[in-house]
Amino acid sequence: MSWDVIVVGARCAGSPLALLLARSGKRVLIVDAAEFPSDQPLSTHFIQPFGVRILDELGLGDRVRAIAPPVLTMAQFIGPARAKFYMPPGGICIRRFDFDPLLLEAAREAGAETRLQHRVVDVLREGARVVGVVAQDRDGAKHELRASVVVGADGRDSTIADLVGAEKYFNYDGPRAGYWAYYPRPAWYAEAPYGGASYFAFYDQSLRVSFPTNRDQLLLGAVVPRDDLDRFRADPRGVLEAELRLDPFFAKLITGEPIGKLLGFVKLEYFFRRAAGPGWALVGDAGLHKDPTPGFGITDALRDARALSAAICEGGDVALERYWRQRDVDSFELFHLARDMGDLDYNNPLNQVVFEHIARSQDLHDRMVRVIDRDLSPYKVLRPSQVMRWTLGAVLRGNVGVLKHFLRAGKRQAAIQKEFARRRALLAALPSRAAA
């Protein structure tokens, strides 16, 4: 059998892509090894306002808001510095057990066909071009499924990426590991001073997180250096709750027994992958996996599914390559922002000084919200002269440790901007849509 597009992976990148393609008149098949509903526990669940707007474009925003409350405020604590960012119409923290089946059902409603419990074991080729996949059903039978384009939306351990030889670049191992659990969400969490916000609190080399999710639940977690994991392995819940109780703010949130089992990750690799080739493309974590600390993943999966659907509808290998290069441009600075936030040294004197100023400035608050909305580069929030003035002021007050981090940050940002310019040049070198 043959389709216009086969999408391998039915979650937060694959199902929205299939939905958009089906609405555009394409014959689409979704293939996934899982049965639904099923969970994807290694997920921050957080959909930023930019992603929520895409869900609204898809006609799915109200369905999602019916399950999980909008989160209008994101709070970030760096040592003693505390800043809150008000970001209407709000983000949403929805558990994947509910979100992914909702997306899959919407794709089916749009006309996409599905084959669940089918595991892709190979790709079909004609010369260098991918022309389909071989999928094995739960009974062991193998099926040849053909399409003009095969898309890997099958996560960071993507089978499609491996089969087509999509190389990684800018890849590195994350320095942190984490444990988290779901607790009953107290009614007063929506009231001041909590305000139903998501909280990210950096202390020493670790991080505490709290955000509301669906069914009146609250995710509470601790992210620590990987070298600190032995403590957790012996008593995961006890150590998690001990970490949270070190801060009175988080201690108050432990109001009952965990709902379900504790979850965690020990080691994650973050990377870009080549995202297009003859007859194939990658979307979501299959092609780009960022440090989860700022919660960019689902939003960028929705963004890239929208962009890839347009490229497939345009047609041709050049359109697919343009999608890949545009993804790199759109994601490069955010990838490095996520890397900065995941670094063990993020809670440093310079960032504490910067966030103290952000907490007092409406203009800087608004500029940070523009970063969240994908409207401003994270490296253009502050003017270098501002940061230099704050650094000198801190040094004169005796905070000499800030100078080392100021010099290091300047050097790192220069390197990021140099490579960012190269990414833009690779995109600009491709034929325009009109020329193609």
Coordinates of all heavy atoms in Angstrom, one line a residue, residues 202-276:
F202 N 16.9 27.6 41.4 CA 18.2 27.1 41.3 C 18.9 27.4 42.6 O 18.8 28.5 43.2 CB 19.0 27.8 40.2 CG 18.5 27.5 38.8 CD1 17.5 28.2 38.2 CD2 19.1 26.5 38.1 CE1 17.0 27.9 37.0 CE2 18.6 26.1 36.8 CZ 17.6 26.9 36.3
Y203 N 19.6 26.3 43.2 CA 20.3 26.5 44.5 C 21.6 25.7 44.4 O 21.5 24.5 43.9 CB 19.4 26.1 45.6 CG 19.0 24.6 45.6 CD1 19.7 23.7 46.5 CD2 18.0 24.2 44.8 CE1 19.3 22.4 46.4 CE2 17.7 22.8 44.8 CZ 18.3 21.9 45.6 OH 18.0 20.6 45.6
D204 N 22.7 26.2 44.8 CA 24.0 25.5 44.6 C 24.1 25.0 43.2 O 23.9 25.8 42.3 CB 24.1 24.4 45.6 CG 24.1 24.8 47.1 OD1 24.5 26.0 47.3 OD2 23.6 24.1 48.0
Q205 N 24.3 23.7 43.0 CA 24.3 23.2 41.6 C 23.1 22.4 41.2 O 23.1 21.7 40.2 CB 25.6 22.2 41.5 CG 26.9 23.0 41.6 CD 28.1 22.0 41.3 OE1 28.1 20.9 41.7 NE2 29.0 22.5 40.5
S206 N 22.0 22.6 42.0 CA 20.8 21.8 41.8 C 19.6 22.7 41.5 O 19.7 23.9 41.4 CB 20.5 21.0 43.0 OG 21.6 20.1 43.3
L207 N 18.5 22.1 41.3 CA 17.3 22.8 40.8 C 16.1 22.1 41.5 O 16.0 20.9 41.5 CB 17.2 22.7 39.3 CG 15.9 23.2 38.6 CD1 15.7 24.7 38.8 CD2 15.9 22.8 37.1
R208 N 15.1 22.9 42.0 CA 13.8 22.4 42.4 C 12.8 22.9 41.5 O 12.8 24.1 41.1 CB 13.5 22.9 43.9 CG 14.5 22.4 44.9 CD 14.1 22.9 46.3 NE 15.1 22.5 47.3 CZ 16.0 23.4 47.8 NH1 16.0 24.6 47.3 NH2 16.9 23.0 48.7
V209 N 11.8 22.1 41.2 CA 10.7 22.5 40.3 C 9.4 22.2 40.8 O 9.2 21.2 41.6 CB 10.9 21.9 38.9 CG1 12.2 22.3 38.2 CG2 10.8 20.4 38.9
S210 N 8.4 23.0 40.5 CA 7.0 22.8 40.8 C 6.2 23.4 39.7 O 6.4 24.5 39.3 CB 6.7 23.5 42.1 OG 5.3 23.5 42.3
F211 N 5.2 22.6 39.2 CA 4.2 23.2 38.3 C 2.9 22.4 38.3 O 2.9 21.1 38.5 CB 4.7 23.3 36.9 CG 5.4 22.1 36.2 CD1 4.6 21.1 35.7 CD2 6.7 22.0 36.1 CE1 5.1 20.0 35.1 CE2 7.3 20.9 35.4 CZ 6.5 19.9 35.0
P212 N 1.8 23.1 38.2 CA 0.5 22.4 38.2 C 0.2 21.7 36.9 O 0.6 22.1 35.8 CB -0.5 23.6 38.4 CG 0.2 24.7 37.7 CD 1.7 24.5 37.9
T213 N -0.3 20.5 37.0 CA -0.7 19.7 35.9 C -2.1 19.3 36.0 O -2.8 19.8 36.9 CB 0.3 18.6 35.6 OG1 -0.1 17.9 34.4 CG2 0.4 17.6 36.7
N214 N -2.6 18.4 35.2 CA -4.0 18.1 35.2 C -4.5 17.2 36.3 O -3.7 16.7 37.1 CB -4.4 17.4 33.8 CG -3.5 16.3 33.4 OD1 -2.3 16.6 33.2 ND2 -4.0 15.1 33.2
R215 N -5.8 17.1 36.5 CA -6.4 16.3 37.5 C -6.0 16.8 38.9 O -5.7 15.9 39.8 CB -6.1 14.8 37.3 CG -6.7 14.2 36.0 CD -6.9 12.7 36.1 NE -7.5 12.3 34.8 CZ -6.8 11.9 33.8 NH1 -5.5 11.9 33.8 NH2 -7.4 11.5 32.7
D216 N -5.9 18.1 39.1 CA -5.5 18.6 40.4 C -4.2 18.1 41.0 O -4.1 17.8 42.1 CB -6.7 18.4 41.4 CG -7.9 19.1 41.0 OD1 -7.9 20.2 40.5 OD2 -9.0 18.5 41.1
Q217 N -3.2 17.9 40.1 CA -1.9 17.4 40.5 C -0.9 18.5 40.4 O -1.0 19.5 39.7 CB -1.6 16.2 39.6 CG -2.5 15.0 39.8 CD -2.1 13.9 38.8 OE1 -1.0 13.9 38.2 NE2 -3.0 12.9 38.6
L218 N 0.2 18.2 41.2 CA 1.3 19.2 41.2 C 2.6 18.3 41.0 O 2.8 17.4 41.8 CB 1.3 19.9 42.5 CG 2.3 21.1 42.7 CD1 1.8 22.2 41.8 CD2 2.3 21.6 44.1
L219 N 3.3 18.6 40.0 CA 4.6 17.9 39.8 C 5.7 18.6 40.7 O 5.8 19.8 40.6 CB 5.1 18.0 38.3 CG 6.3 17.2 38.0 CD1 6.3 16.6 36.6 CD2 7.6 18.1 38.2
L220 N 6.3 17.9 41.5 CA 7.4 18.4 42.3 C 8.7 17.6 42.0 O 8.6 16.3 42.0 CB 7.1 18.2 43.8 CG 5.9 19.0 44.3 CD1 5.6 18.7 45.8 CD2 6.1 20.5 44.1
G221 N 9.8 18.2 41.7 CA 11.0 17.5 41.3 C 12.3 18.2 41.8 O 12.3 19.4 42.2
A222 N 13.3 17.4 41.8 CA 14.7 17.9 42.2 C 15.6 17.4 41.1 O 15.6 16.2 40.7 CB 15.1 17.4 43.5
V223 N 16.4 18.3 40.5 CA 17.4 18.0 39.5 C 18.8 18.3 40.1 O 19.0 19.4 40.6 CB 17.1 18.8 38.2 CG1 18.1 18.3 37.1 CG2 15.7 18.7 37.8
V224 N 19.6 17.3 40.1 CA 20.9 17.4 40.8 C 22.1 16.9 39.9 O 21.8 16.3 38.9 CB 20.9 16.5 42.1 CG1 19.7 16.9 43.0 CG2 20.7 15.0 41.7
P225 N 23.3 17.3 40.3 CA 24.4 16.7 39.5 C 24.4 15.2 39.5 O 24.0 14.6 40.5 CB 25.7 17.3 40.3 CG 25.2 18.4 41.1 CD 23.7 18.1 41.4
R226 N 24.8 14.7 38.4 CA 24.8 13.2 38.2 C 25.7 12.5 39.3 O 25.4 11.4 39.7 CB 25.3 12.8 36.8 CG 24.3 13.1 35.7 CD 24.4 12.1 34.6 NE 25.8 11.9 34.1 CZ 26.4 12.5 33.1 NH1 25.7 13.4 32.5 NH2 27.6 12.3 32.8
D227 N 26.7 13.2 39.8 CA 27.5 12.6 40.8 C 26.8 12.4 42.1 O 27.3 11.7 43.0 CB 28.8 13.5 41.0 CG 29.7 13.5 39.9 OD1 29.6 12.6 39.0 OD2 30.6 14.4 39.8
D228 N 25.6 13.1 42.2 CA 24.9 13.0 43.5 C 23.8 12.0 43.5 O 22.9 11.9 44.4 CB 24.2 14.4 43.7 CG 23.9 14.7 45.2 OD1 24.5 14.0 46.0 OD2 23.0 15.5 45.4
L229 N 23.8 11.1 42.4 CA 22.7 10.2 42.2 C 22.6 9.0 43.3 O 21.6 8.5 43.5 CB 22.7 9.6 40.8 CG 22.0 10.3 39.8 CD1 22.2 9.6 38.4 CD2 20.5 10.4 40.1
D230 N 23.8 8.7 43.8 CA 23.8 7.5 44.8 C 22.8 7.8 45.9 O 22.2 6.8 46.4 CB 25.2 7.3 45.3 CG 26.1 6.7 44.2 OD1 25.5 6.2 43.2 OD2 27.3 6.7 44.4
R231 N 22.7 9.0 46.4 CA 21.8 9.3 47.5 C 20.3 8.9 47.1 O 19.6 8.4 47.8 CB 21.8 10.7 47.9 CG 23.1 11.2 48.5 CD 22.9 12.6 49.1 NE 22.5 13.6 48.1 CZ 21.4 14.3 48.2 NH1 20.6 14.2 49.3 NH2 21.1 15.2 47.3
F232 N 20.0 9.2 45.8 CA 18.6 9.0 45.4 C 18.3 7.5 45.2 O 17.2 7.0 45.5 CB 18.3 9.7 44.1 CG 18.0 11.2 44.2 CD1 19.0 12.1 44.3 CD2 16.7 11.6 44.3 CE1 18.7 13.5 44.4 CE2 16.4 12.9 44.5 CZ 17.4 13.9 44.5
R233 N 19.3 6.8 44.7 CA 19.0 5.4 44.4 C 18.7 4.6 45.7 O 17.9 3.7 45.6 CB 20.3 4.8 43.8 CG 20.6 5.3 42.3 CD 21.7 4.4 41.7 NE 21.9 4.8 40.3 CZ 22.9 5.6 39.9 NH1 23.8 6.0 40.8 NH2 23.1 5.9 38.6
A234 N 19.2 5.0 46.8 CA 18.9 4.3 48.0 C 17.5 4.5 48.5 O 16.9 3.6 49.0 CB 20.0 4.7 49.1
D235 N 17.0 5.7 48.4 CA 15.7 6.1 48.9 C 15.1 7.2 48.0 O 15.1 8.4 48.5 CB 15.8 6.5 50.3 CG 14.5 6.8 51.0 OD1 13.4 6.6 50.3 OD2 14.5 7.4 52.1
P236 N 14.7 7.0 46.8 CA 14.3 8.0 45.9 C 13.2 9.0 46.5 O 13.5 10.2 46.5 CB 13.7 7.3 44.7 CG 14.3 6.0 44.7 CD 14.5 5.6 46.2
R237 N 12.2 8.5 47.1 CA 11.1 9.4 47.6 C 11.7 10.2 48.8 O 11.5 11.4 48.9 CB 9.9 8.6 48.0 CG 8.8 9.5 48.6 CD 7.6 8.8 49.1 NE 6.7 9.7 49.8 CZ 5.7 9.3 50.5 NH1 5.3 8.0 50.5 NH2 4.9 10.2 51.2
G238 N 12.4 9.5 49.7 CA 12.9 10.1 50.9 C 13.8 11.3 50.6 O 13.7 12.4 51.1
V239 N 14.7 11.0 49.6 CA 15.7 12.1 49.3 C 15.0 13.2 48.5 O 15.4 14.4 48.7 CB 16.9 11.4 48.5 CG1 17.8 12.5 48.0 CG2 17.6 10.4 49.3
L240 N 14.1 12.8 47.6 CA 13.4 13.9 46.9 C 12.7 14.8 47.8 O 12.8 16.1 47.7 CB 12.3 13.2 45.9 CG 11.3 14.2 45.3 CD1 12.1 15.2 44.4 CD2 10.3 13.4 44.5
E241 N 11.9 14.3 48.8 CA 11.2 15.1 49.7 C 12.1 15.9 50.6 O 11.8 17.0 51.0 CB 10.2 14.3 50.5 CG 9.1 13.7 49.5 CD 7.9 13.0 50.3 OE1 8.0 12.9 51.5 OE2 6.9 12.7 49.6
A242 N 13.3 15.3 51.0 CA 14.2 16.0 51.8 C 14.8 17.2 51.1 O 15.0 18.2 51.6 CB 15.4 15.0 52.2
E243 N 15.1 17.0 49.8 CA 15.6 18.1 48.9 C 14.6 19.2 48.9 O 14.9 20.4 49.0 CB 15.9 17.6 47.5 CG 17.1 16.8 47.4 CD 18.4 17.6 47.5 OE1 18.4 18.7 46.9 OE2 19.4 17.2 48.1
L244 N 13.3 18.9 48.7 CA 12.3 19.9 48.6 C 12.1 20.6 49.9 O 11.9 21.8 50.0 CB 10.9 19.2 48.2 CG 10.9 18.7 46.8 CD1 9.7 17.8 46.5 CD2 11.0 19.8 45.7
R245 N 12.2 19.9 51.1 CA 11.9 20.5 52.4 C 13.0 21.4 52.8 O 12.9 22.1 53.8 CB 11.7 19.4 53.4 CG 10.3 18.7 53.2 CD 9.9 17.8 54.4 NE 8.6 17.4 54.3 CZ 8.2 16.1 54.0 NH1 9.2 15.2 53.7 NH2 7.0 15.7 53.9
L246 N 14.2 21.4 52.1 CA 15.2 22.3 52.5 C 14.8 23.7 52.2 O 15.4 24.7 52.8 CB 16.5 22.0 51.7 CG 17.3 20.7 52.1 CD1 18.4 20.4 51.1 CD2 17.8 20.8 53.5
D247 N 13.8 23.9 51.4 CA 13.3 25.3 51.1 C 11.9 25.3 51.6 O 11.0 24.6 51.2 CB 13.3 25.5 49.6 CG 12.9 26.9 49.2 OD1 12.1 27.5 49.9 OD2 13.4 27.4 48.2
P248 N 11.6 26.2 52.6 CA 10.2 26.3 53.1 C 9.1 26.5 52.0 O 8.0 26.1 52.2 CB 10.3 27.5 54.1 CG 11.7 27.6 54.4 CD 12.5 27.2 53.2
F249 N 9.5 27.2 51.0 CA 8.6 27.5 49.9 C 8.1 26.1 49.3 O 6.9 25.9 49.1 CB 9.3 28.3 48.8 CG 8.4 28.7 47.7 CD1 7.7 29.9 47.7 CD2 8.3 28.0 46.5 CE1 6.9 30.3 46.7 CE2 7.4 28.3 45.5 CZ 6.8 29.5 45.6
F250 N 9.0 25.2 49.0 CA 8.7 23.9 48.4 C 8.2 22.9 49.5 O 7.3 22.1 49.2 CB 9.9 23.3 47.7 CG 10.1 24.0 46.4 CD1 10.9 25.2 46.3 CD2 9.6 23.5 45.2 CE1 11.2 25.8 45.1 CE2 9.8 24.2 44.0 CZ 10.6 25.3 43.9
A251 N 8.6 23.1 50.7 CA 8.2 22.1 51.7 C 6.7 22.2 51.9 O 6.0 21.1 52.2 CB 8.9 22.5 53.0
K252 N 6.1 23.4 51.8 CA 4.7 23.5 52.0 C 3.9 22.8 50.9 O 2.7 22.5 51.1 CB 4.4 25.0 52.0 CG 2.9 25.4 52.4 CD 2.7 26.9 52.4 CE 1.3 27.2 52.7 NZ 1.0 28.7 52.7
L253 N 4.5 22.5 49.8 CA 3.8 21.9 48.7 C 3.6 20.4 48.8 O 2.8 19.8 48.1 CB 4.5 22.2 47.4 CG 4.7 23.7 47.1 CD1 5.4 23.8 45.7 CD2 3.3 24.4 47.0
I254 N 4.3 19.8 49.8 CA 4.2 18.3 50.0 C 3.0 18.1 50.9 O 3.1 18.2 52.1 CB 5.5 17.7 50.5 CG1 6.6 18.0 49.6 CG2 5.3 16.2 50.7 CD1 8.0 17.6 50.2
T255 N 1.8 17.8 50.4 CA 0.6 17.8 51.2 C 0.0 16.4 51.3 O -1.1 16.3 51.8 CB -0.4 18.8 50.6 OG1 -0.7 18.4 49.2 CG2 0.1 20.2 50.6
G256 N 0.6 15.4 50.7 CA 0.0 14.1 50.8 C 1.0 13.1 50.2 O 2.2 13.3 49.9
E257 N 0.4 11.9 49.9 CA 1.2 10.8 49.2 C 1.4 11.1 47.7 O 0.5 11.6 47.1 CB 0.5 9.5 49.5 CG 0.4 9.0 50.9 CD 1.8 8.7 51.5 OE1 2.5 7.9 50.8 OE2 2.1 9.2 52.5
P258 N 2.5 10.7 47.2 CA 2.6 10.8 45.7 C 1.6 10.0 45.0 O 1.1 8.9 45.5 CB 4.0 10.2 45.5 CG 4.7 10.3 46.8 CD 3.7 10.1 47.8
I259 N 1.2 10.5 43.8 CA 0.2 9.8 43.0 C 1.0 9.0 42.0 O 1.6 9.6 41.1 CB -0.7 10.9 42.3 CG1 -1.4 11.7 43.3 CG2 -1.7 10.2 41.4 CD1 -2.1 13.0 42.8
G260 N 1.0 7.7 42.1 CA 1.8 6.9 41.2 C 3.2 6.8 41.7 O 3.6 7.3 42.7
K261 N 4.0 6.2 40.8 CA 5.4 6.0 41.2 C 6.3 7.2 40.9 O 5.9 8.1 40.1 CB 6.0 4.8 40.5 CG 6.0 4.9 39.0 CD 6.6 3.7 38.3 CE 6.6 3.8 36.8 NZ 7.1 2.6 36.1
L262 N 7.5 7.3 41.6 CA 8.4 8.3 41.3 C 9.1 8.0 39.9 O 9.2 6.9 39.5 CB 9.5 8.3 42.3 CG 9.3 9.3 43.5 CD1 8.2 8.8 44.4 CD2 10.6 9.5 44.3
L263 N 9.5 9.1 39.2 CA 10.1 9.0 37.9 C 11.4 9.7 37.9 O 11.7 10.5 38.8 CB 9.2 9.6 36.8 CG 7.8 9.0 36.7 CD1 6.9 9.9 35.9 CD2 7.9 7.6 36.1
G264 N 12.3 9.4 37.0 CA 13.6 10.0 37.0 C 14.3 9.8 35.7 O 14.0 8.9 34.9
F265 N 15.4 10.5 35.5 CA 16.3 10.3 34.4 C 17.7 10.4 35.0 O 18.0 11.1 35.9 CB 16.2 11.3 33.3 CG 16.5 12.7 33.6 CD1 17.8 13.2 33.4 CD2 15.6 13.6 34.1 CE1 18.1 14.5 33.6 CE2 15.9 14.9 34.4 CZ 17.2 15.4 34.2
V266 N 18.6 9.5 34.5 CA 20.0 9.4 35.0 C 21.0 10.1 34.0 O 21.8 10.9 34.5 CB 20.4 8.0 35.2 CG1 21.8 7.8 35.6 CG2 19.5 7.3 36.2
K267 N 20.8 9.9 32.7 CA 21.7 10.5 31.8 C 21.0 10.8 30.5 O 20.4 9.9 29.9 CB 22.9 9.6 31.6 CG 24.0 10.2 30.6 CD 25.1 9.2 30.4 CE 26.2 9.8 29.5 NZ 27.3 8.8 29.3
L268 N 21.1 12.0 30.0 CA 20.5 12.4 28.7 C 21.5 13.0 27.8 O 22.3 13.8 28.3 CB 19.3 13.3 28.9 CG 18.0 12.7 29.6 CD1 17.0 13.8 29.8 CD2 17.5 11.6 28.8
E269 N 21.4 12.7 26.5 CA 22.2 13.4 25.5 C 21.4 14.4 24.8 O 20.2 14.2 24.5 CB 22.8 12.4 24.5 CG 23.7 13.0 23.5 CD 24.2 12.1 22.4 OE1 23.5 11.1 22.2 OE2 25.2 12.4 21.7
Y270 N 22.0 15.6 24.6 CA 21.3 16.7 23.8 C 22.0 16.9 22.5 O 23.2 16.9 22.5 CB 21.2 17.9 24.7 CG 20.7 17.6 26.1 CD1 21.4 17.8 27.2 CD2 19.4 17.1 26.2 CE1 20.9 17.5 28.5 CE2 18.9 16.8 27.5 CZ 19.7 17.0 28.6 OH 19.1 16.7 29.8
F271 N 21.3 17.2 21.5 CA 21.9 17.2 20.1 C 20.9 17.9 19.1 O 19.7 18.0 19.3 CB 22.2 15.8 19.7 CG 20.9 14.9 19.7 CD1 20.0 14.9 18.7 CD2 20.7 14.0 20.8 CE1 18.9 14.1 18.8 CE2 19.6 13.2 20.9 CZ 18.7 13.2 19.9
F272 N 21.5 18.2 18.0 CA 20.9 18.4 16.7 C 21.2 17.2 15.9 O 22.2 16.6 16.0 CB 21.4 19.6 15.9 CG 21.0 21.0 16.5 CD1 21.6 21.5 17.6 CD2 20.0 21.7 15.9 CE1 21.2 22.8 18.1 CE2 19.6 23.0 16.3 CZ 20.2 23.5 17.4
R273 N 20.2 16.8 15.0 CA 20.5 15.8 13.9 C 20.1 16.5 12.6 O 19.2 17.3 12.5 CB 19.6 14.6 14.1 CG 20.1 13.5 15.1 CD 19.3 12.2 14.8 NE 19.8 11.2 15.8 CZ 19.0 10.7 16.8 NH1 17.8 11.3 17.0 NH2 19.4 9.8 17.6
R274 N 20.9 16.0 11.6 CA 20.4 16.3 10.2 C 19.0 16.0 10.1 O 18.6 14.8 10.5 CB 21.3 15.5 9.2 CG 20.8 15.8 7.8 CD 21.6 14.8 6.8 NE 21.2 15.0 5.5 CZ 21.7 15.8 4.6 NH1 22.8 16.5 4.9 NH2 21.3 15.9 3.4
A275 N 18.1 16.9 9.6 CA 16.7 16.7 9.7 C 16.0 16.4 8.4 O 14.8 16.4 8.3 CB 16.0 17.9 10.4
A276 N 16.8 16.2 7.3 CA 16.1 16.0 6.0 C 17.1 15.3 5.0 O 18.3 15.6 5.1 CB 15.6 17.3 5.4

